[in-house]
Amino acid sequence: MAKIITFLKNWTLPVSMISGALAYYICRQLPLSYEVKFDILTVIEVLQPVLLFLMLFVAFCKIKPTDLKPHRWHLWLLLTQCLLFAAACAALWLYPSTGLRVIIEGFMLAIICPTATACAVVTQKLGGDSAATTSYTIIINMVVALLCPLLLPVAHPQEGLTFFPAFMVIIHKVFPLLIVPLFLAWFVRYLMPSFHKRIVATKDLAFYMWAVSLAIAIAVTCKALAHSHESMWNVGGIAVVTLVACLFQFSFGKWIGSHYGKKMEAGQALGQKNTVFIIWLGYTFLSPITAAAGGFYSVWHNLVNSWQLYKKRKES
């Protein structure tokens, strides 16, 4: 039993991904009524943002407000994401009828998507500066809230989709799951110190919340792919471009960070994405199949994180 527990702790992320996929396909084969399936989906829709909120709250509790500050390497990461996203949008504007539209949109989402709320959790597990990655998480979310409403109507024109409505929709998505847990963590730190100490003392709490959230995200992705009527060409293309985007962003982020003594932190900040946001952005503003980019990217960046955690354990 001890060996099994140790294995689960060491390989939490791959186990979580496999569990999510299996859970979906098992539920699909069960003779459940439509009402029961609807209730399950409703619970998932509520549970996922709650887990993300709590995970981020726990991570913020471990970071002092004075540690949240911008760094020079943040600027290079911002420029990388914004310029690549703008270039992809320009390509779709110039060639609106291209057969590669869905694949390019998947690449766009994988590039512009803000840093994952769990980035601070993984950075901490890897022995890095979680405050630096949290600072970038806040910055990139604010930039995305401005840039996406400006450029998405150009890349994917829709009736009624202008800057202000799109901006409000994105802010409504970002604010409760990013800014509120930050303020709540500060409130608990200064006004409820005993409760704050108890949260900080609970080891890996946010990490295991993330594992549950990851399993749910993989299950939702499997459902989207199973009900998709897109060609295997488009689905396979999205899988490939998200893999390329993932490997590029981890590598380029580490290269940028190596010049500032933050190699691992910059790699995580650029490479680890809020894949739930990718799925939502694809469904809301682009073609529904592009939401699969979030599912594929979730697999790729969690495999990278699993490998990094494995190397960290070996070094320890």
Side-chain angles (χ1 to χ4, degrees):
M1 181 60 70
K3 289 184 178 180
I4 294 175
I5 293 174
T6 301
F7 175 83
L8 292 175
K9 286 183 177 179
N10 289 342
W11 298 101
T12 301
L13 302 186
V15 169
S16 179
M17 288 188 286
I18 294 171
S19 299
L22 288 176
Y24 167 71
Y25 286 109
I26 290 172
C27 286
R28 188 180 180 186
Q29 299 303 318
L30 293 175
L32 302 175
S33 65
Y34 173 81
E35 290 76 13
V36 172
K37 290 182 179 180
F38 179 81
D39 289 340
I40 292 173
L41 290 175
T42 302
V43 170
I44 288 174
E45 288 176 359
V46 174
L47 182 60
Q48 197 166 38
V50 169
L51 279 172
L52 292 173
F53 181 97
L54 293 174
M55 179 179 63
L56 199 54
F57 165 70
V58 172
F60 282 152
C61 280
K62 298 183 179 182
I63 299 170
K64 294 180 180 179
T66 52
D67 292 336
L68 295 176
K69 54 187 177 182
H71 299 267
R72 287 187 178 181
W73 55 270
H74 288 169
L75 177 61
W76 291 109
L77 300 193
L78 281 174
L79 286 174
T80 301
Q81 288 188 250
C82 294
L83 290 176
L84 286 175
F85 178 69
C89 288
L92 290 178
W93 177 66
L94 291 171
Y95 304 99
S97 301
T98 177
L100 298 175
R101 167 171 285 278
V102 170
I103 296 174
I104 295 173
E105 287 180 351
F107 176 79
M108 283 167 46
L109 294 179
I111 291 294
I112 198 55
C113 181
T115 305
T117 51
C119 183
V121 179
V122 179
T123 302
Q124 196 171 53
K125 291 277 287 183
L126 292 171
D129 181 2
S130 58
T133 54
T134 300
S135 299
Y136 186 74
T137 301
I138 296 170
I139 293 169
I140 188 59
N141 271 276
M142 297 301 101
V143 170
V144 166
L146 290 171
L147 191 63
C148 284
L150 280 173
L151 295 184
L152 284 178
V154 174
H156 194 96
Q158 296 182 45
E159 187 176 350
L161 181 61
T162 57
F163 172 79
F164 188 72
F167 173 76
M168 292 306 297
V169 169
I170 293 176
I171 283 294
H172 179 73
K173 185 74 174 179
V174 168
F175 186 82
L177 291 181
L178 183 72
I179 306 303
V180 175
L182 176 65
F183 289 149
L184 182 60
W186 291 351
F187 175 85
V188 169
R189 173 181 287 273
Y190 294 113
L191 299 180
M192 304 174 68
S194 58
F195 181 55
H196 176 263
K197 287 181 181 178
R198 185 175 299 179
I199 293 173
V200 173
T202 306
K203 187 179 180 182
D204 293 337
L205 176 60
F207 182 72
Y208 293 118
M209 286 182 183
W210 176 39
V212 176
S213 179
L214 173 60
I216 294 173
I218 293 297
V220 171
T221 301
C222 290
K223 175 181 177 294
L225 291 174
H227 290 81
S228 172
H229 299 292
E230 287 289 334
S231 67
M232 290 304 297
W233 162 258
N234 284 338
V235 174
I238 292 173
V240 171
V241 296
T242 51
L243 174 60
V244 171
C246 179
L247 296 177
F248 165 75
Q249 289 180 107
F250 270 106
S251 301
F252 190 74
K254 288 181 178 180
W255 182 75
I256 291 292
S258 65
H259 294 81
Y260 298 92
K262 297 290 183 181
K263 181 178 180 179
M264 185 271 291
E265 290 86 347
Q268 288 300 127
L270 190 60
Q272 190 174 347
K273 300 293 189 181
N274 182 353
T275 53
V276 175
F277 188 84
I278 294 180
I279 294 170
W280 174 81
L281 203 64
Y283 271 121
T284 307
F285 296 104
L286 301 173
S287 308
I289 185 58
T290 57
F296 285 122
Y297 200 99
S298 180
V299 173
W300 308 142
H301 82 165
N302 280 296
L303 287 175
V304 172
N305 283 332
S306 298
W307 172 249
Q308 291 181 132
L309 290 168
Y310 168 71
K311 289 200 300 181
K312 180 67 176 179
R313 286 196 305 274
K314 288 193 68 176
E315 292 171 0
S316 300

